[in-house]
Amino acid sequence: MSDRPTPLRRTKIVATLGPASDREGVLEQMIAAGVDVVRLNFSHGSADDHRRRLSAVREIAARKGRSVAALGDLQGPKIRIARFTDGKVVLEEGAPFVIDVALDGQAGDASRVGCDYRELADDVSAGDRLLLDDGRVVLDVSRVDGSAIHTTVVVGGELSNNKGINKQGGGLSAPALTDKDKADLETAMAIGVDYLAVSFPRSAADMEEARALLGEAGREIGLVAKLERAEAVADDETLDGIIEASEAVMVARGDLGVEIGDEALIGTQKRIIKHARSHNRAVITATQMMESMIDSPLPTRAEVFDVANAVLDATDAVMLSAETAAGDFPVETVEAMARVCLGAERERIAQSSGHRIHEGFSKIDETIALSAMYAANHLSGVAAIACMTSTGYTPLIASRIRSGLPIVGLAHSPVAQRRMALYRGVISLPFDTSEMSADELNDQALARVVAQGIAVQGDHVILTRGDHMNAHGGTNTLRILEVEAQHE
């Protein structure tokens, strides 16, 4: 028998592209280091930048035999103050400060500043708390007089141009999809992203609006809801509605933490991950995961624990932002994140599951997928679960159960292969059944798993498939196959 295969990382890595990844050879090294999904941040760069970067990703991934998904991330209604005459001011604690939505955009000083969001004066009232620059400056509203919002500085400090504004507890009425977002959505469709992230959705209706804008031409693009607003997580009904209206959700901890408070963030992160998995949706944990590595070759211990904690919560993916888009050590950051994920996944809690163990099932494909995972987790000698799939749905369902075993998604469609790149524990491989007879399918699937070094002679592989390949929802068969010498 051959040596046991090296354990495969289950938690996926999303890396944002930018000037740092544009440097010669860096993108290829990042993909080699373990990037599963690239993020195209539409808050920065032109349509041509995003098209060029995605084209490079596709070329490298094809050359390396990898399925790497692309996530387009819409900017959303980022509400910002305007600009200061001298570029920045220092606000003193206890001092009055006015945000005037009618003020000239360049005329700010230490007593007042304009705002690009004209409705802000209608959305706030006396007693509200405003948080500027990700909460570094805190203002309490004393009164609203027409276009002028009068506040008192609670936490002062330096404030510079175009910093963001959040209202503690949420309640800003800006629509989730701006005119810029609608234009960027068209770009995302044109360049061929696999997922599209919607920023600041307040309810399922915002996701449904994005779905309608994608239309038939964008029906193969999965929607990701970025959970950033207090309203989105205020109650389980709203949260579950957003989750069900999306293919995946993102725990976007920057704006969310500002709106609900850092003390509520860790519990909310765990609740989001749990709800997403229970609704059979993928979940990404994001923001400041390894931020010190923007200018340091090693993460802090706190960052290591943060990533590991998300892994133990069973997030599908962890995301890097400025670390890989603009940092000095993009490749080292991906490598560090991969090491931490693997380390956390060795813990027993990451491999045991009670997912839906006391629930009934209504769908045959769901029953087969979950039965395969329970069998794999309890039958000695199983090396992998292989799923023949047309859309990636069966591997998604199977991946909701914690396990130490790889799930191999065998799909003919490149779209399905890339969609599966986001799912925890799923390895997506091309598998064209068009020239295979029904009798050949099982042997060819097993041979594909062995060729990847996932199973060796004497191992068992659990295989799920349908009677009719390439039919959505058709999985109805579970087989336990043994790797014999001829498969080696």
Side-chain angles (χ1 to χ4, degrees):
M1 183 183 295
S2 305
D3 292 337
R4 295 301 320 145
T6 302
L8 298 164
R9 173 171 46 82
R10 304 184 66 75
T11 310
K12 302 306 181 74
I13 295 175
V14 182
T16 305
L17 303 187
S21 64
D22 287 345
R23 298 197 298 263
E24 184 69 29
V26 169
L27 180 59
E28 181 154 354
Q29 292 177 63
M30 284 170 54
I31 291 173
V35 170
D36 301 287
V37 181
V38 296
R39 172 176 172 251
L40 306 172
N41 184 2
F42 284 100
S43 296
H44 305 285
S46 66
D48 285 342
D49 290 331
H50 302 310
R51 183 179 291 104
R52 170 180 51 79
R53 287 168 181 155
L54 183 50
S55 177
V57 169
R58 295 277 190 257
E59 187 275 323
I60 294 167
R63 184 156 35 85
K64 291 183 172 295
R66 292 275 310 281
S67 291
V68 178
L71 167 66
D73 193 339
L74 301 178
Q75 177 176 292
K78 188 72 174 178
I79 298 166
R80 301 178 185 275
I81 60 170
R83 301 175 65 83
F84 296 98
T85 300
D86 296 326
K88 62 183 177 181
V89 298
V90 175
L91 301 187
E92 301 291 342
E93 181 180 335
F97 188 71
V98 176
I99 300 175
D100 189 342
V101 299
L103 187 69
D104 183 283
Q106 306 290 327
D109 57 28
S111 66
R112 64 181 56 226
V113 72
C115 177
D116 64 358
Y117 176 54
R118 298 287 174 172
E119 290 76 18
L120 185 64
D122 299 322
D123 286 350
V124 302
S125 56
D128 286 341
R129 173 161 286 186
L130 299 178
L131 305 115
L132 280 59
D133 191 13
D134 290 334
R136 294 178 179 88
V137 173
V138 180
L139 310 174
D140 278 350
V141 178
S142 54
R143 74 180 196 279
V144 179
D145 184 6
S147 64
I149 303 162
H150 294 263
T151 76
T152 300
V153 179
V154 178
V155 177
E158 186 176 283
L159 185 62
S160 56
N161 296 336
N162 305 124
K163 295 302 182 185
I165 304 175
N166 294 85
K167 178 182 172 185
Q168 192 170 74
L172 298 181
S173 61
L177 290 163
T178 65
D179 290 342
K180 171 179 165 51
D181 293 330
K182 292 172 184 177
D184 288 339
L185 180 146
E186 295 291 333
T187 297
M189 292 171 60
I191 65 177
V193 301
D194 304 293
Y195 290 96
L196 185 69
V198 176
S199 296
F200 301 100
R202 289 169 295 181
S203 67
D206 289 327
M207 303 308 298
E208 290 159 1
E209 181 186 359
R211 182 89 59 195
L213 289 170
L214 285 174
E216 184 64 21
R219 65 185 177 85
E220 292 185 323
I221 296 176
L223 285 179
V224 179
K226 293 175 66 178
L227 298 172
E228 304 177 89
R229 281 179 157 163
E231 301 97 309
V233 299
D235 58 77
D236 286 350
E237 182 179 359
T238 302
L239 174 61
D240 289 344
I242 293 173
I243 292 171
E244 289 178 355
S246 313
E247 276 69 45
V249 296
M250 183 188 296
V251 190
R253 303 180 305 178
D255 285 283
L256 183 61
V258 172
E259 291 211 357
I260 67 174
D262 289 340
E263 68 281 359
L265 190 57
I266 184 63
T268 301
Q269 173 176 310
K270 291 177 182 292
R271 180 164 66 99
I272 292 169
I273 293 172
K274 181 178 179 181
H275 280 241
R277 292 180 65 80
S278 70
H279 287 280
N280 297 327
R281 300 298 194 270
V283 56
I284 303 165
T285 304
T287 316
Q288 297 179 329
M289 300 216 80
M290 287 192 162
E291 186 153 340
S292 73
M293 291 194 73
I294 292 173
D295 50 24
S296 169
L298 293 172
T300 66
R301 291 289 183 269
E303 289 166 341
V304 168
F305 273 77
D306 180 33
V307 173
N309 181 63
V311 171
L312 295 178
D313 284 341
T315 190
D316 285 271
V318 284
M319 193 174 98
L320 297 165
S321 298
E323 300 97 327
T324 52
D328 294 333
F329 302 97
V331 177
E332 291 86 347
T333 306
V334 175
E335 291 171 342
M337 185 165 264
R339 288 195 303 271
V340 174
C341 291
L342 277 167
E345 289 164 5
R346 285 196 288 267
E347 296 300 314
R348 183 175 295 275
I349 188 176
Q351 301 179 18
S352 59
S353 178
H355 178 71
R356 300 190 64 181
I357 198 165
H358 300 300
E359 294 182 29
F361 308 130
S362 59
K363 299 178 180 177
I364 293 174
D365 54 352
E366 186 175 60
T367 304
I368 294 294
L370 296 178
S371 297
M373 291 304 296
Y374 284 124
N377 281 345
H378 291 87
L379 177 63
S380 176
V382 174
I385 305 91
C387 307
M388 294 189 204
T389 180
S390 61
T391 64
Y393 183 70
T394 301
L396 169 65
I397 299 298
S399 69
R400 300 308 86 185
I401 296 180
R402 297 176 192 243
S403 175
L405 297 171
I407 302 163
V408 182
L410 299 168
H412 172 56
S413 163
V415 173
Q417 291 165 32
R418 294 194 299 266
R419 181 73 69 89
M420 289 186 281
L422 180 60
Y423 304 157
R424 183 182 176 107
V426 176
I427 302 161
S428 56
L429 298 176
F431 191 68
D432 185 357
T433 62
S434 58
E435 301 297 323
M436 297 181 197
S437 68
D439 294 336
E440 289 180 295
L441 287 175
N442 291 357
D443 274 350
Q444 290 295 323
L446 197 57
R448 195 79 176 87
V449 174
V450 171
Q452 289 293 310
I454 296 167
V456 297
Q457 185 179 346
D459 283 341
H460 288 93
V461 173
I462 295 181
L463 175 69
T464 70
R465 51 169 286 198
D467 292 333
H468 305 286
M469 284 302 295
N470 303 320
H472 177 50
T475 299
N476 61 5
T477 303
L478 184 156
R479 296 286 301 274
I480 301 176
L481 308 175
E482 182 176 355
V483 179
E484 300 173 351
Q486 65 264 33
H487 294 118
E488 286 285 305

